[in-house]
């Protein structure tokens, strides 16, 4: 790899790396070994202030450029990201622990897709003409919001930076992005590449830190929009803080999504869906289908096939491309998962496979499957955010739909069945923002992504993201005389 794991400085502000050693030290840990691979500093007030003032100074001129010019820069950044995919993937693997086999196809590539997609859309962001009779008319203008703050979770640092940055910039906004303190490295490269592609300084700034840095950014009166990817408890706090300033928000939060498998489903395909929806990225995916409802008649066949297929999970050096199952991101996260595994056993769920932490450095735990899980168990109600699948039985369609929806979350839901009429009936009934039929966890940039209920507000990706990074100004134009009552 050509990148040093230790970046030149902690933050990327106003088109360059910036350091302030007065900030608390952030140790970056490689999850596969537990080794410290870089040391950064949390952003101080001075760094945050420079991020805000440089963003404000650059934003108006950026918004005044044509969409074609803005889009060209974003698409150039997409090309650079693709050219450097291998190096960026190696860095992402060090940041998150996710195996290179995954990062090569799901991180910088997904970020590049967002830059290319929104770069392509930038030139066609227009208002409309509304005729009002007698020659009078109105028109709408689509305007940038101004300064947007993006706050990321640790599971997809490159992708989250791009999913937020690309639509924000396409619409003419500036963005300050705060990665999770656990995975601070990758977003710096996104900023560097955007500037290399021609993005004027100040428009995409990266500042490091915990909620102590995110908090002041959210409440700063100069910030117009906040987009958070994180947990429901953080979302509640950030949403409330943003509401004080009547700011626009996008909240991409957690879930406990249902995946329903009927007895007519192709068994191997359904097992693949359940594996993708529980064990990809070691289960650290917000939309995971962690409540797997399996129709009674095929339950044991499903569990037998699943157990067999899980033997194909290969742990080891994440940089070895044949490894397909990595460590968890941190000691904190693996200990949360271990507590849930113990809780599941205590509650009487049947541990079918896995459940053990590996006796080695780093944060390794086996892919874990519980069967005979019931709706009221803690492991069936709370988001675990790790490689723990809960299998529940069901008898019929009406019953499983009601149980699938019996949760505060509403991020995603999936169904496997050969009966497409039933599949469409099920998705019409699911209380979830993102649904899958005979598939699970696809997230192409062309399709809106987001949750309902406690899982969030707004949508990322697709044309719908534009509405969350711009607002309409309506302009009335009278060509005849303006009259009044007196
Ligand atoms: P957290 O909610 O703990 O943190 C999310 C981000 O918010 C982090 O950058 C965090 O900083 C920051 N933060 C924490 N407190 C505040 C605050 N008061 N003000 C401003 N910012 C704050 O989530 P995790 O990082 O643990 O990520 C896991 C969660 O994210 C899961 O619940 C998962 O479901 C959800 N998620 C949702 C996705 C979606 O698209 N719907 C996608 C991916 C994950 P720091 O952690 O550095 O202190």
């Amino acid at each position: 790899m050509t990148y040093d794991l230790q970046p030149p400085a902690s933050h990327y502000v106003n088109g360059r790396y910036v350091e302030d050693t007065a900030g608390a030290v952030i140790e970056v840990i490689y999850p596969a070994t537990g080794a410290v691979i870089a040391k950064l500093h949390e952003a101080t007030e001075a760094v945050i202030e420079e991020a805000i003032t440089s963003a404000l100074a650059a934003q108006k001129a950026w918004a005044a450029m044509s969409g074609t010019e803005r889009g060209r820069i974003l698409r150039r950044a997409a090309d650079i990201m693709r050219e450097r995919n291998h190096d960026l993937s190696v860095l992402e693997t060090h940041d998150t622990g996710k195996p290179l086999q995954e990062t090569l196809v799901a991180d910088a590539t997904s970020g590049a897709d967002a830059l290319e997609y929104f770069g392509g859309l930038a030139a066609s962001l227009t208002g409309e003409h509304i005729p009002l009779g007698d020659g009078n008319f109105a028109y709408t203008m689509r305007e940038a919001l101004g300064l947007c703050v993006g706050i990321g979770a640790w599971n997809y640092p490159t992708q989250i930076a791009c999913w937020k940055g690309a639509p924000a910039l396409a619409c003419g906004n500036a963005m300050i992005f705060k990665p999770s303190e656990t995975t601070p490295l990758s977003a710096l490269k996104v900023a560097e590449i955007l500037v290399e592609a021609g993005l004027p300084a100040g428009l995409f700034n990266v500042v490091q830190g915990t909620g102590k840095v995110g908090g002041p950014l959210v409440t700063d009166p100069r910030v117009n929009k906040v987009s958070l990817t994180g947990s429901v408890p953080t979302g509640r706090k950030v949403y409330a803080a943003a509401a004080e300033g009547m700011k626009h928000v996008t909240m991409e939060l957690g879930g406990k999504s249902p995946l329903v498998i009927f007895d007519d489903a192709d068994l191997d395909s359904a097992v693949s869906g359940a594996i993708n929806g529980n064990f990809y990225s070691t289960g650290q995916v917000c939309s995971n289908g962690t409540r797997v409802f399996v129709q009674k008649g095929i339950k044991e066949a499903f569990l037998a096939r699943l157990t067999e297929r899980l033997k194909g999970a290969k742990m080891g050096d994440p940089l070895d491309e044949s490894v397909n199952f990595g460590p968890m991101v941190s000691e904190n996260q693996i200990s949360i998962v271990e507590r849930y595994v113990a809780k599941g056993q205590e509650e009487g769920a049947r541990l079918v496979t896995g459940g053990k932490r590996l006796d080695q450095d780093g944060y390794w735990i086996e892919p874990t499957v519980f069967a005979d899980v019931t709706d009221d168990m803690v492991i069936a109600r709370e988001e675990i955010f790790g490689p723990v699948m809960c299998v529940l039985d069901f008898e019929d369609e009406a019953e499983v739909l009601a149980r699938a929806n019996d949760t505060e979350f509403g991020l995603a839901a999936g169904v496997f069945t050969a009966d497409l009429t039933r599949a469409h009936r099920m998705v019409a009934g699911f209380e979830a923002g993102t649904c899958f039929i005979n598939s699970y966890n696809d997230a192409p940039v062309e399709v809106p992504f987001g949750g309902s209920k406690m899982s969030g507000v707004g949508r990322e990706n697709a044309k719908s993201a534009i509405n969350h990074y711009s607002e309409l100004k309506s302009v009335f134009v009278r060509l005849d005389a303006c009259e009044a009552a007196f």
Side-chain angles (χ1 to χ4, degrees):
M1 183 175 74
T2 51
Y3 291 139
D4 289 335
L5 294 173
Q6 175 68 47
S10 302
H11 320 286
Y12 197 93
V13 173
N14 204 15
R16 67 197 201 297
Y17 278 97
V18 168
E19 191 57 272
D20 184 347
T21 52
V25 172
I26 298 172
E27 288 191 334
V28 188
I29 292 170
Y30 184 32
T33 61
V36 176
I37 52 170
K39 282 190 185 169
L40 275 62
H41 293 271
E42 184 157 48
T44 54
E45 266 176 43
V47 171
I48 296 173
E49 188 57 26
E50 191 188 353
I52 293 176
T53 49
S54 67
L56 292 173
Q59 188 266 326
K60 290 230 165 12
W62 173 246
M65 279 166 67
S66 75
T68 307
E69 288 172 294
R70 287 199 302 272
R72 192 179 302 134
I73 292 169
L74 298 186
R75 284 183 287 110
R76 207 179 287 140
D79 290 344
I80 299 173
M81 282 191 88
R82 286 213 180 84
E83 279 160 23
R84 299 194 193 147
N85 183 38
H86 194 272
D87 286 353
L88 292 167
S89 302
V90 171
L91 186 71
E92 175 98 4
T93 288
H94 281 94
D95 219 3
T96 61
K98 292 187 294 181
L100 190 59
Q101 187 190 95
E102 281 189 20
T103 54
L104 281 171
V105 296
D107 293 285
T109 53
S110 154
D113 284 353
L115 290 163
E116 183 171 6
Y117 179 87
F118 289 105
L121 219 53
S124 51
L125 302 178
T126 57
E128 59 180 350
H129 173 266
I130 305 159
L132 294 172
D134 298 327
N136 300 316
F137 64 93
Y139 62 93
T140 58
M141 299 164 71
R142 186 169 286 283
E143 297 193 327
L145 298 175
L147 176 52
C148 304
V149 163
I151 300 177
W154 38 257
N155 54 349
Y156 282 81
T158 304
Q159 183 190 76
I160 294 172
C162 293
W163 280 18
K164 297 186 190 311
L169 293 170
C171 291
N173 301 287
M175 172 160 276
I176 300 175
F177 186 75
K178 188 204 82 68
S180 165
E181 156 208 29
T182 312
T183 55
L185 301 180
S186 302
L188 292 169
K189 291 293 160 200
V190 175
E192 207 183 299
I193 287 171
L194 280 163
V195 167
E196 188 180 335
L199 188 74
L203 289 168
F204 187 82
N205 295 327
V206 175
V207 296
Q208 309 290 357
T210 59
K212 277 192 226 141
V213 172
L217 283 171
V218 171
T219 49
D220 193 289
R222 294 166 289 181
V223 168
N224 306 95
K225 191 224 156 90
V226 179
S227 177
L228 170 81
T229 296
S231 61
V232 171
T234 304
R236 209 183 264 123
K237 272 190 265 172
V238 171
Y239 197 175
E244 274 298 307
M246 211 57 80
K247 297 179 204 297
H248 296 251
V249 295
T250 301
M251 294 283 141
E252 294 291 355
L253 309 176
K256 189 76 188 178
S257 301
L259 170 56
V260 178
I261 299 171
F262 285 95
D263 58 11
D264 62 347
D266 178 293
L267 190 63
D268 257 307
S269 184
V271 168
S272 294
I275 289 174
N276 290 342
N278 281 273
F279 301 122
Y280 199 71
S281 300
T282 316
Q284 303 165 114
V285 178
C286 51
S287 48
N288 271 355
T290 46
R291 288 182 297 141
V292 181
F293 292 92
V294 181
Q295 206 160 11
K296 264 204 176 123
I298 59 161
K299 180 176 110 178
E300 291 308 327
F302 172 84
L303 289 173
R305 192 74 194 110
L306 176 68
T307 311
E308 189 55 35
R309 293 268 302 270
L310 285 179
K311 291 185 188 145
K314 185 176 171 195
M315 297 197 227
D317 178 0
L319 295 168
D320 170 352
E321 278 184 54
S322 69
V323 167
N324 56 23
F325 191 81
M328 304 226 49
V329 75
S330 63
E331 181 60 45
N332 183 45
Q333 194 60 25
I334 198 169
S335 54
I336 291 172
V337 172
E338 285 184 284
R339 282 202 291 278
Y340 277 112
V341 170
K343 185 81 191 161
Q345 288 170 293
E346 215 178 284
E347 289 180 307
R350 167 162 56 116
L351 183 62
V352 177
T353 181
K356 280 194 293 298
R357 181 171 180 170
L358 272 49
D359 185 17
Q360 64 181 68
D361 289 340
Y363 316 120
W364 299 86
I365 189 164
E366 296 167 333
T368 302
V369 177
F370 279 110
D372 305 334
V373 176
T374 54
D375 297 349
D376 54 340
M377 290 181 183
V378 169
I379 55 167
R381 303 215 67 82
E382 297 180 8
E383 183 183 47
I384 299 175
F385 220 61
V388 181
M389 183 194 295
C390 293
V391 178
L392 305 95
D393 317 337
F394 75 95
E395 303 266 0
D396 66 56
E397 186 181 322
E399 168 218 334
V400 77
L401 183 60
R403 291 170 60 200
N405 287 335
D406 182 19
T407 167
E408 62 170 354
F409 299 109
L411 187 52
V415 56
F416 276 78
T417 173
D419 179 349
L420 274 184
T421 307
R422 172 161 65 188
H424 288 290
R425 239 182 358 244
M426 286 292 291
V427 295
F430 280 143
E431 295 168 0
T434 309
C435 294
F436 303 92
I437 294 176
N438 293 333
S439 187
Y440 207 85
N441 263 356
D442 316 62
V445 69
E446 298 89 343
V447 183
F449 178 82
S452 53
K453 294 160 80 176
M454 291 303 282
S455 292
V457 175
R459 292 292 177 267
E460 297 202 296
N461 287 343
K463 291 192 274 266
S464 44
I466 296 302
N467 293 323
H468 301 291
Y469 283 102
S470 61
E471 63 187 350
L472 291 173
K473 179 183 276 176
S474 300
V475 184
F476 292 84
V477 182
R478 183 171 291 284
L479 297 187
D480 55 4
C482 181
E483 291 173 7
F486 55 88

